[in-house]
Amino acid sequence: MLNAPARLSIVQPPHAAFDVVKVLWVRHWNEHLFSLAVERPQSFRFRSGEFVMLGMEVEGKPLMRAYSIASAAWAEEVEFLSIKVEDGPLTSRLQLVGEGDELYLGRKPTGTLVTDALRPGKRLFLLSTGTGLAPFLSLIRDPDTYERFEQVVVVHSVRRVSDLAFRDELSARLADDPLVGEQAAAQLHYVPTCTREPFENQGRIQNLIEDGKLFGDPITGPNAFDPAEDRIMLCGSTAMINEFAKRFEETGFEEGSNARPADFVIERAFVG
């Protein structure tokens, strides 16, 4: 029996606008969701919650997409969370990469899902759907987040239970994290919900608000969003972001930015 041919490594030619970085690891959560991490160039700096361009050469040209960074700003690797799209120009290729392969990484991270874009408050709600969880993984691994807010509530809405990436780590409140483990144990709350399979929480984020689960024990404070002490970040589907942005503005919240911090922020780079 002949051995199968060795898999060819994915390499990228040098490019003036991007760094060439090696893939350190890949983790497939299910058939349409995966994480990967690449080495971090020495000159690469970002704030927790920002996004950057990631991609590879396709047909002689760089094919790049904006990806939120899932690793903390202090980490030695740059981590991402991605869906798998069978016929997606980039993700159909990206999902096939393995350890040692090369990708292009942008040099200018940016974005509004950063604590600098919010006024001081007591509770920070991070509302996400699908891979919108990624920037919040960065924020909850950053000690500064816990210095700024007394409670940090991560809400993750997905279709299926297997889509709850990092469920074990979040349920354990990042107990194994050497930098924020103690702070997260006291201040981090994880609220996952599924819309298409039986689960402890069922329905969309709106359902959690209506039945009070979003504000239930062990979360303390008002049983509704309060502009006086709550700050909110939104990341995920366009429909969810638009729905909640409108809702918050109608109830007295102001949208913030890097130039003018306020009560809630969204990542407009991903909004159509």
Side-chain angles (χ1 to χ4, degrees):
M1 183 176 177
L2 296 176
N3 292 328
R7 173 181 171 274
L8 295 177
S9 297
I10 299 173
V11 298
Q12 310 299 329
H15 195 280
F18 309 112
D19 285 319
V20 176
V21 292
K22 286 189 180 296
V23 175
L24 300 176
W25 55 260
V26 181
R27 180 177 180 179
H28 294 272
W29 299 96
N30 57 26
E31 73 274 16
H32 60 85
L33 186 68
F34 72 107
S35 296
L36 77 154
V38 300
E39 60 187 355
R40 180 174 180 169
Q42 284 192 335
S43 59
F44 190 76
R45 300 287 182 271
F46 69 95
R47 295 178 297 171
S48 297
E50 290 187 319
F51 68 88
V52 71
M53 304 302 289
L54 180 74
M56 62 178 67
E57 184 181 76
V58 176
E59 298 178 355
K61 297 180 180 179
L63 179 60
M64 311 294 291
R65 294 288 185 270
Y67 276 90
S68 291
I69 301 170
S71 45
W74 50 264
E76 295 181 359
E77 60 189 27
V78 188
E79 182 183 336
F80 303 96
L81 178 63
S82 177
I83 58 172
K84 303 176 186 179
V85 181
E86 186 175 347
D87 56 353
L90 179 59
T91 58
S92 62
R93 296 173 170 88
L94 198 60
Q95 63 185 284
L96 302 177
V97 303
E99 181 181 347
D101 286 337
E102 293 180 346
L103 296 173
Y104 285 136
L105 181 69
R107 294 170 180 161
K108 296 181 179 180
T110 188
T112 51
L113 296 179
V114 293
T115 53
D116 290 343
L118 293 173
R119 296 176 179 136
K122 293 183 178 181
R123 303 191 299 188
L124 174 62
F125 286 90
L126 306 173
L127 308 184
S128 65
T129 60
T131 56
L133 176 69
F136 302 154
L137 291 170
S138 178
L139 284 156
I140 63 174
R141 293 165 170 172
D142 192 327
D144 182 63
T145 302
Y146 300 98
E147 295 296 327
R148 290 173 179 252
F149 301 95
E150 296 174 10
Q151 298 179 81
V152 181
V153 185
V154 179
V155 185
H156 190 202
S157 176
V158 297
R159 294 178 178 179
R160 304 181 305 164
V161 177
S162 65
D163 294 330
L164 290 170
F166 296 94
R167 177 186 173 193
D168 290 345
E169 293 92 329
L170 292 170
S171 295
R173 297 187 178 185
L174 304 181
D176 295 331
D177 191 294
L179 196 60
V180 301
E182 290 187 11
Q183 291 171 298
Q187 298 170 249
L188 178 64
H189 306 289
Y190 172 51
V191 186
T193 185
C194 291
T195 60
R196 296 189 182 179
E197 287 184 353
F199 190 63
E200 59 193 71
N201 296 318
Q202 292 228 236
R204 299 163 59 244
I205 297 174
Q206 180 64 32
N207 299 112
L208 298 178
I209 296 171
E210 292 171 354
D211 64 20
K213 285 188 176 181
L214 189 56
F215 309 99
D217 186 67
I219 299 166
T220 60
N223 61 358
F225 290 116
D226 182 358
E229 60 182 60
D230 291 337
R231 302 295 172 256
I232 303 155
M233 293 186 177
L234 301 170
C235 193
S237 71
T238 301
M240 183 275 284
I241 290 175
N242 290 340
E243 174 188 342
F244 277 100
K246 180 180 179 182
R247 173 196 182 100
F248 291 134
E249 287 178 343
E250 290 175 346
T251 53
F253 287 84
E254 293 183 45
E255 183 178 350
S257 66
N258 283 288
R260 191 179 66 85
D263 308 318
F264 77 94
V265 288
I266 66 177
E267 189 45 80
R268 292 197 173 275
F270 303 111
V271 178

